[in-house]
Amino acid sequence: MAASPSFDIVSKVDRQEVDNAFNQAEKELATRFDFRGTGTVVAKSGEAFTITSETEERATAALDVFKEKLVKRNISLKSLDAGEPRQSGKTYKIDLKVVEGIESDKAKAISKKIRDEGPKGVQAQIQGDQLRVTGKKRDDLQAVIALLKQEDFGVALQFTNYR
């Protein structure tokens, strides 16, 4: 008999789709008439992004454009950590970071939820920045997935390696 059924709970982002959303937002900011002459730019440095503009309103509007492009590419906004607009000299900046992985406190909350409200005989183990859920029956695992989809843990969750 094979090992007991299991699946992994992860929080990952397709980096190529994030880059595509960044490129689309960059093009839209360059061509839209309401951004002309405002010095509004989206810049990428490593894994982080920075939105720069002459006014706070235009910086916030540029952030909305970037979020819109992420949503169109099926990237959850829970994966985007956007700072508050801050003044830097004569310009306003917003720092953005794409978050991957499940932090340990959120992983503990997910594990506790499975333990408290999930079917009997289902265990969740924290493995780095992901969780492995095992159980006796596949139906129990599907019940756990349904339970977790109803709850908001503040992270974009994906369910992988369902065996």
Side-chain angles (χ1 to χ4, degrees):
M1 172 107 179
S4 58
S6 68
F7 69 90
D8 294 334
I9 303 172
V10 296
S11 180
K12 294 199 185 240
V13 175
D14 185 352
R15 290 288 177 182
Q16 184 62 49
E17 291 297 331
V18 173
D19 286 343
N20 290 342
F22 163 71
N23 291 334
Q24 285 181 334
E26 200 174 34
K27 280 182 187 172
E28 185 168 328
L29 293 177
T31 58
R32 267 180 48 179
F33 74 95
D34 55 337
F35 285 107
R36 283 207 186 114
T38 61
T40 305
V41 182
V42 180
K44 180 179 180 186
S45 59
E47 299 295 317
F49 300 93
T50 306
I51 296 175
T52 309
S53 184
E54 292 174 0
T55 65
E56 186 175 354
E57 293 79 27
R58 288 293 95 203
T60 309
L63 175 61
D64 291 341
V65 168
F66 188 55
K67 284 181 178 179
E68 175 188 316
K69 300 303 177 192
L70 288 172
V71 168
K72 280 187 180 176
R73 298 207 154 264
N74 294 326
I75 307 261
S76 174
L77 292 181
K78 292 178 184 177
S79 302
L80 184 69
D81 182 19
E84 290 297 314
R86 59 181 167 75
Q87 192 166 4
S88 174
K90 291 185 176 182
T91 61
Y92 285 87
K93 291 185 176 186
I94 302 176
D95 295 322
L96 308 168
K97 199 171 79 178
V98 177
V99 180
E100 285 190 299
I102 303 172
E103 296 172 7
S104 64
D105 59 330
K106 292 182 181 177
K108 288 176 185 173
I110 293 169
S111 178
K112 182 173 176 13
K113 177 85 171 173
I114 293 170
R115 230 182 5 259
D116 294 347
E117 299 180 30
K120 299 287 181 227
V122 175
Q123 295 96 23
Q125 301 143 340
I126 300 172
Q127 298 176 335
D129 62 352
Q130 67 180 24
L131 280 91
R132 161 99 13 114
V133 179
T134 56
K136 290 183 173 43
K137 294 186 258 173
R138 287 178 178 252
D139 290 345
D140 291 346
L141 296 181
Q142 288 175 342
V144 168
I145 291 173
L147 174 74
L148 295 178
K149 282 185 177 179
Q150 294 172 358
E151 193 72 26
D152 179 23
F153 293 101
V155 220
L157 298 178
Q158 292 93 29
F159 307 102
T160 60
N161 291 338
Y162 186 79
R163 307 172 190 182

